[in-house]
Amino acid sequence: MEEKGILIVISGFSGAGKGTLVKGLLRRYDEYALSVSMTTRSPRPGEQEGVEYFFTDRERFEEVIAKGGLVEYAQYCGNYYGTPRAYVEDQLAAGKNVILEIEIQGALKVKEKFPETLLLFVTPPSVAELRRRLTDRGTEDPQVIAKRLARAAEESEGVEAYDYIVVNDKLEECVEEVHFLVAAARRAPVRRSELIREIRAELNHFAKGVQ
């Protein structure tokens, strides 16, 4: 029987390099699948429908909420973000480790619904580096950057809810570190309940035979 995959939430400050990290995992290993989020924010230059996000308007997004079609959703900087349910469930059943790249509010909602979820928080090595990355991105004006830094201060209060913090300094090393953490997490007893049941059933069978 194919081993079920695990759900992985990767969060972090805006500008921490979450997207680049996730792309590195997907490029290097075939056991991961990225859940594409739905959002009401406008596409950035180069972003494609169904690749980075499913782009929609608020009315359509709220219809999907009402129908229970999202694993989680949240509002961030005035826009909705959410995770479509069907894709996640199908990929987990196929044995893929499904990555949700979402912010902290959504991550905690996922953890409530799916307690076995692995939560990883990505941060740059310093606040100065975070500010530099946001500025060098060149896609937002200073007011938006200031808003994102203020949001980062709020998010820093919730980091303790995560299983691991990953410092994204050298990308290739960060990719390997995350892959190692996921491999270890898959072997935790809380995520191997079916294997444990099978072992117990066989042991009980043998135990009855020698009584």
Side-chain angles (χ1 to χ4, degrees):
M1 184 182 68
E2 191 165 19
E3 184 181 343
K4 186 178 179 181
I6 68 171
L7 194 57
I8 306 158
V9 168
I10 294 182
S11 304
F13 307 126
S14 179
K18 303 181 295 296
T20 306
L21 170 60
V22 169
K23 288 177 182 176
L25 279 169
L26 296 171
R27 183 174 61 250
R28 185 170 298 185
Y29 302 103
D30 62 5
E31 63 211 66
Y32 296 96
L34 176 63
S35 176
V36 180
S37 295
M38 180 183 294
T39 183
T40 58
R41 81 157 169 78
S42 300
R44 291 177 183 149
E47 291 184 331
Q48 301 177 52
E49 169 70 15
V51 179
E52 284 79 16
Y53 288 97
F54 295 112
F55 296 99
T56 189
D57 57 29
R58 292 184 70 87
E59 183 179 358
R60 170 60 182 155
F61 196 103
E62 289 172 354
E63 287 177 3
V64 176
I65 293 173
K67 293 177 180 177
L70 299 174
V71 172
E72 57 76 36
Y73 69 93
Q75 292 197 61
Y76 176 69
C77 292
N79 288 299
Y80 275 125
Y81 293 81
T83 302
R85 178 183 295 273
Y87 177 84
V88 170
E89 293 177 343
D90 289 346
Q91 292 298 312
L92 289 174
K96 294 284 189 178
N97 298 317
V98 179
I99 300 171
L100 309 185
E101 186 189 329
I102 56 180
E103 47 73 56
I104 191 167
Q105 184 181 355
L108 298 181
K109 289 180 180 178
V110 172
K111 188 73 171 179
E112 286 180 7
K113 292 183 180 178
F114 305 95
E116 297 175 11
T117 302
L118 176 66
L119 301 185
L120 303 177
F121 194 90
V122 181
T123 179
S126 68
V127 174
E129 174 63 12
L130 175 63
R131 187 184 184 108
R132 185 193 67 78
R133 291 181 187 180
L134 286 170
T135 303
D136 289 354
R137 200 156 63 180
T139 58
E140 290 150 347
D141 61 38
Q143 286 185 329
V144 174
I145 291 174
K147 185 182 290 187
R148 292 193 182 279
L149 289 171
R151 174 64 173 170
E154 296 174 3
E155 289 175 329
S156 68
E157 299 296 329
V159 172
E160 288 86 352
Y162 284 71
D163 296 300
Y164 298 102
I165 293 178
V166 180
V167 177
N168 186 11
D169 188 5
K170 297 179 180 179
L171 178 61
E172 294 305 314
E173 292 179 8
C174 190
V175 168
E176 289 302 311
E177 180 181 357
V178 169
H179 181 63
F180 172 81
L181 292 173
V182 172
R186 287 193 68 148
R187 290 160 176 78
V190 69
R191 299 181 180 92
R192 302 303 300 273
S193 57
E194 191 162 342
L195 174 63
I196 292 170
R197 283 195 298 270
E198 290 175 358
I199 291 172
R200 283 176 178 160
E202 290 184 27
L203 288 172
N204 288 333
H205 174 75
F206 283 116
K208 290 176 182 178
V210 298
Q211 287 176 357

